[in-house]
Amino acid sequence: MSKIWNKNLILISISFLWSNFNMAVEVNPYRKLTDSGEYYIANFYNLDPFVKDSLIRSNIINAKLNLPLEDYCRVITEYNQKTWLQYLNRNHQSLFEDHSMVISVLEKKPEVLIPYILSLSSLYLGWNKVTESYTLAQFAINKSLEQKEYFLLAKSYLQAGKSCSLKGDKLDAFRFLLKSKEICNQYNFNSLESEIWHVIGEYYHQLNSHLNSYEAFCSAEECIKKIEPVDTSILYLIYISKLEVMHSIDPSKFNEQEVYKILNWARTNNDKILEDKTAATLRHIYIETSNLEKIRLYYEVIAPQELNQLKTTNSFMYNKVMSYIAEAKNEIDSAEYFNLVAEKFLEDKSQSYYAFNFYFRLGEFYQRTNNIQKSILAFEKAYQKSLGLDLLSNVVEITKELSEEYKNIGDYKKSLKYLSLHTQNKDSLNSISNSEQLFILKLSNEERLRQIELENNARNEERRFNIQYLGILLILTAIFIVIILMGSYKWPEWTIRLVGFIAFIMLFEFIILILDQKIHHITHGEPWKILCIKIGIISIILPFHHWIEYKVINYLICHKMLKFKRPSFYGFLETFKNWFTLTQKEEKSIPKDVSDNLHKV
């Protein structure tokens, strides 16, 4: 059975997986305005979608009218972190059309402005307004670079990557993700780096590069485990994604019990995002494998409260689930009834993935119940809904099913028509698959080139540091040679002590400078470990510093390091003068024949 996968919807949903985790762990200097009071919405996830939309809109208007501009921007940012903004209807775009004014007023408040802009970019991306989302992400990148806000810069690159992906610029999207990952790696933003790896994993999963996807999810898991204490919710989100990819690689290795364990944990801890992600994974796999009995057990035995919640919050999904349950009980008429009721809720989604998916599943239902005519009608509608959507792999299967169904009823003309479409679409799909494989190779090459560039930069930096270390050593050597010479000549005692004091400070600071890098590497930057090690080192170095300085300086002053007579400046001038002049006494002492010869010369 074909895997029906809406790439755009999956990518958009990735924007909200980390919700309020990153900013809370890495950068969160402000009190939360939405944790209590009039801007908090109690039991938000259990409300009807229309109620959610209305409450969010009302709160945003109240915040804009009653709060200072900075606090209003924080409310928008916190709503985005809580994933509440994604429930806001796209018809409310006028609420945010004043963002140019906000930018001009908060120009000198980048710590407030940039998260606000990124929240709007994420919101526009959810509304499929890709150009506006990308423009705002680029503004956030420029502002972050200008202010040297590296955490926000990494988030801006991540948002730009998501926007580029939906624009179709996959290579640019991957480059933005790599830049964001490099910043996180450099500054140890482990939570954000984990999110980036998760997005990369989903990115590869859409390209059907499941092994690369699995490796990316493993990297995301490693990043989260570096944070103490480990955020279990995020860790489980990554683990669910790994299990989903593993099902694509090898269904036999899919651990269903682990999924249920995570689901129970999410419910116990009231983690709605993790619960929805886990439940959606189970539903998807059960439907893909046509395991209707497990769907029935899940909603009737394991999670009956979820079915009651669907009844009030999502009528379309409720009736679809009820149709699966009725079919599992072999109540075919009831299953058909629930399918027809669900069809009525497609009016506002008449040309979308939802409509295509519904009619495709409906066609499969009629196939299972041997109702060929209705199966053909449903597949025909699914084929019409697929036009204009990026669902070529599903179109290949639909045309194949239609060709076989028409052949079964003896309509060979239409059977041949859909067989021709099947062959044509299959060839196109093979061509696209080859292109995707080439693109995956291009991505791997891009990542490898970027890695080589980073390694070269690291080597150049290490070479530059080594040259500086060598220069410092030469300067220290020169200073100590000067001290020894000063101790051997007539220099005032205070100058020897001053130069010695400076020299020994430089020496021991140089030792500490070298040790600092080793300490940070050993302790992985943990403050308490660094403090303990430095206390131990300084307790040894400080007394030794004073002792060795006292001994050396006193020795230079009291003893002569070089055993020769100290020359006098005036004596040196007298000697120089005698080289060029001869006294009369010396001339008389020269024999006459030698003197005559000298004069001749």
Side-chain angles (χ1 to χ4, degrees):
M1 185 176 292
S2 167
K3 180 178 181 180
I4 301 180
W5 197 264
N6 186 353
K7 297 182 179 180
N8 289 346
L9 289 176
I10 292 298
L11 185 59
I12 291 171
S13 68
I14 294 303
S15 303
F16 304 101
L17 285 178
W18 265 251
S19 62
N20 59 352
F21 178 70
N22 285 327
M23 296 295 279
V25 172
E26 307 286 6
V27 178
N28 188 18
Y30 304 108
R31 62 187 176 88
K32 288 287 185 182
L33 298 172
T34 58
D35 282 349
S36 60
E38 61 178 312
Y39 299 105
Y40 178 72
I41 304 175
N43 297 319
F44 177 82
Y45 294 105
N46 296 327
L47 299 175
D48 183 83
F50 297 104
V51 177
K52 291 177 183 177
D53 176 77
S54 177
L55 287 174
I56 293 171
R57 179 179 178 275
S58 174
N59 282 1
I60 289 174
I61 292 174
N62 289 336
K64 185 178 291 189
L65 294 175
N66 301 325
L67 292 178
L69 188 59
E70 290 182 30
D71 285 345
Y72 160 72
C73 291
R74 288 173 188 148
V75 168
I76 299 300
T77 301
E78 290 165 19
Y79 273 8
N80 182 60
Q81 292 169 12
K82 292 176 182 292
T83 74
W84 290 1
L85 279 187
Q86 65 173 305
Y87 296 96
L88 193 63
N89 193 300
R90 64 184 301 169
N91 295 327
H92 300 322
Q93 185 179 349
S94 58
L95 289 172
F96 307 103
E97 288 180 349
D98 60 346
H99 66 265
S100 299
M101 179 273 294
V102 175
I103 291 173
S104 61
V105 174
L106 296 180
E107 181 72 22
K108 296 183 179 179
K109 294 281 187 178
E111 69 279 1
V112 178
L113 176 61
I114 298 172
Y116 168 76
I117 293 298
L118 289 174
S119 299
L120 293 191
S121 177
S122 178
L123 178 62
Y124 285 149
L125 192 64
W127 288 342
N128 207 29
K129 294 182 175 294
V130 181
T131 303
E132 292 89 339
S133 175
Y134 180 73
T135 303
L136 290 172
Q138 278 289 357
F139 172 84
I141 289 172
N142 295 334
K143 196 68 179 175
S144 301
L145 284 170
E146 177 186 329
Q147 300 295 327
K148 296 183 179 179
E149 295 278 355
Y150 294 111
F151 178 75
L152 294 175
L153 178 61
K155 288 184 72 68
S156 303
Y157 278 135
L158 174 60
Q159 188 61 35
K162 294 174 181 177
S163 301
C164 279
S165 182
L166 283 188
K167 276 204 311 180
D169 300 336
K170 295 183 178 180
L171 192 57
D172 285 340
F174 196 71
R175 286 170 178 163
F176 278 123
L177 293 177
L178 288 180
K179 287 181 180 179
S180 182
K181 181 171 68 69
E182 289 161 12
I183 294 172
C184 292
N185 190 39
Q186 182 178 356
Y187 294 98
N188 294 321
F189 299 143
N190 292 316
S191 64
L192 184 56
E193 185 177 2
S194 176
E195 180 182 356
I196 294 164
W197 275 117
H198 196 280
V199 174
I200 292 173
E202 293 288 353
Y203 193 68
Y204 275 124
H205 194 31
Q206 292 177 41
L207 295 171
N208 295 320
S209 181
H210 301 309
L211 291 177
N212 286 336
S213 177
Y214 187 81
E215 290 175 1
F217 288 137
C218 289
S219 298
E221 189 175 15
E222 290 175 6
C223 291
I224 281 295
K225 288 181 178 179
K226 291 178 183 178
I227 302 171
E228 292 185 3
V230 175
D231 190 280
T232 309
S233 176
I234 302 298
L235 188 63
Y236 278 158
L237 275 172
I238 296 168
Y239 192 64
I240 285 294
S241 298
K242 282 176 61 179
L243 288 174
E244 195 171 0
V245 174
M246 181 55 68
H247 184 269
S248 300
I249 298 172
D250 185 358
S252 64
K253 293 183 179 180
F254 178 73
N255 193 334
E256 188 176 350
Q257 297 303 317
E258 285 293 321
V259 178
Y260 276 111
K261 176 184 174 183
I262 294 172
L263 185 62
N264 291 332
W265 186 92
R267 287 171 179 162
T268 303
N269 292 274
N270 197 27
D271 191 333
K272 188 64 179 175
I273 295 176
L274 178 59
E275 181 182 351
D276 289 346
K277 171 72 174 176
T278 309
T281 300
L282 282 173
R283 276 200 310 268
H284 172 75
I285 290 174
Y286 289 158
I287 292 171
E288 286 298 319
T289 56
S290 298
N291 200 330
L292 302 179
E293 181 60 25
K294 285 193 174 181
I295 294 177
R296 184 190 70 79
L297 288 173
Y298 176 77
Y299 282 104
E300 288 192 342
V301 179
I302 299 172
Q305 73 280 2
E306 188 174 328
L307 189 60
N308 293 330
Q309 185 178 342
L310 283 176
K311 189 174 183 179
T312 57
T313 60
N314 193 332
S315 299
F316 171 76
M317 182 60 70
Y318 170 76
N319 284 284
K320 277 300 299 175
V321 169
M322 288 301 297
S323 71
Y324 290 132
I325 293 173
E327 187 180 356
K329 295 178 178 179
N330 204 28
E331 298 173 358
I332 306 303
D333 292 339
S334 297
E336 184 175 12
Y337 167 77
F338 283 118
N339 273 315
L340 295 177
V341 173
E343 187 177 10
K344 295 178 181 179
F345 293 97
L346 287 173
E347 293 178 359
D348 59 337
K349 303 173 181 178
S350 58
Q351 191 67 36
S352 68
Y353 168 77
Y354 296 100
F356 162 79
N357 186 40
F358 171 77
Y359 286 116
F360 185 84
R361 298 299 185 193
L362 184 61
E364 291 181 328
F365 163 73
Y366 285 127
Q367 271 188 335
R368 290 192 295 269
T369 57
N370 296 319
N371 196 329
I372 297 178
Q373 291 293 343
K374 289 184 178 180
S375 172
I376 290 174
L377 182 61
F379 281 133
E380 286 275 11
K381 288 183 179 180
Y383 178 73
Q384 292 300 320
K385 299 300 180 183
S386 70
L387 299 177
L389 300 176
D390 186 17
L391 298 168
L392 188 57
S393 60
N394 306 121
V395 171
V396 170
E397 183 163 350
I398 289 174
T399 50
K400 180 181 178 182
E401 296 291 346
L402 283 170
S403 177
E404 291 179 354
E405 293 289 2
Y406 276 119
K407 182 180 178 181
N408 291 335
I409 63 172
D411 192 338
Y412 297 106
K413 183 177 180 180
K414 287 189 176 181
S415 176
L416 184 61
K417 170 190 170 184
Y418 282 105
L419 181 61
S420 176
L421 286 172
H422 169 73
T423 305
Q424 179 182 342
N425 287 313
K426 189 175 181 180
D427 291 341
S428 299
L429 182 62
N430 290 335
S431 176
I432 291 173
S433 297
N434 292 334
S435 299
E436 287 184 345
Q437 291 298 321
L438 289 173
F439 182 72
I440 290 170
L441 290 175
K442 189 181 290 186
L443 290 183
S444 300
N445 184 58
E446 184 78 20
E447 189 172 7
R448 186 163 56 253
L449 288 175
R450 188 65 181 167
Q451 188 64 34
I452 291 172
E453 182 181 350
L454 290 174
E455 289 174 358
N456 288 335
N457 291 339
R459 279 196 294 268
N460 292 336
E461 187 177 75
E462 185 179 3
R463 189 181 300 112
R464 189 172 71 253
F465 288 170
N466 289 337
I467 292 172
Q468 292 177 19
Y469 289 143
L470 180 61
I472 294 171
L473 280 174
L474 291 175
I475 291 171
L476 281 171
T477 304
I479 290 174
F480 277 102
I481 290 173
V482 168
I483 293 173
I484 293 171
L485 292 175
M486 290 173 67
S488 303
Y489 286 81
K490 290 181 179 179
W491 285 86
E493 182 179 325
W494 69 269
T495 58
I496 297 175
R497 292 189 182 278
L498 177 62
V499 177
F501 173 75
I502 294 172
F504 278 101
I505 283 181
M506 288 184 65
L507 174 63
F508 283 97
E509 285 300 322
F510 180 64
I511 294 171
I512 292 173
L513 175 67
I514 294 174
L515 290 176
D516 264 343
Q517 290 186 344
K518 303 295 183 183
I519 292 169
H520 276 272
H521 179 72
I522 293 170
T523 61
H524 302 289
E526 291 193 44
W528 72 271
K529 292 181 180 179
I530 294 174
L531 180 64
C532 292
I533 293 174
K534 283 199 171 183
I535 288 173
I537 292 173
I538 291 174
S539 64
I540 298 170
I541 285 182
L542 189 61
F544 180 70
H545 175 191
H546 292 300
W547 179 80
I548 193 69
E549 180 185 349
Y550 174 79
K551 289 292 185 182
V552 170
I553 298 302
N554 281 322
Y555 186 83
L556 288 173
I557 292 172
C558 300
H559 299 77
K560 307 305 176 214
M561 294 292 294
L562 300 177
K563 302 298 183 182
F564 59 83
K565 183 179 179 181
R566 296 184 183 180
S568 170
F569 179 73
Y570 293 104
F572 178 75
L573 287 179
E574 187 67 26
T575 303
F576 185 77
K577 179 181 178 182
N578 290 337
W579 287 348
F580 293 95
T581 61
L582 294 174
T583 62
Q584 293 180 357
K585 184 177 179 180
E586 289 172 332
E587 287 181 352
K588 289 178 182 179
S589 64
I590 299 174
K592 189 175 185 313
D593 58 340
V594 174
S595 178
D596 292 340
N597 291 333
L598 287 173
H599 283 297
K600 288 179 182 180
V601 173

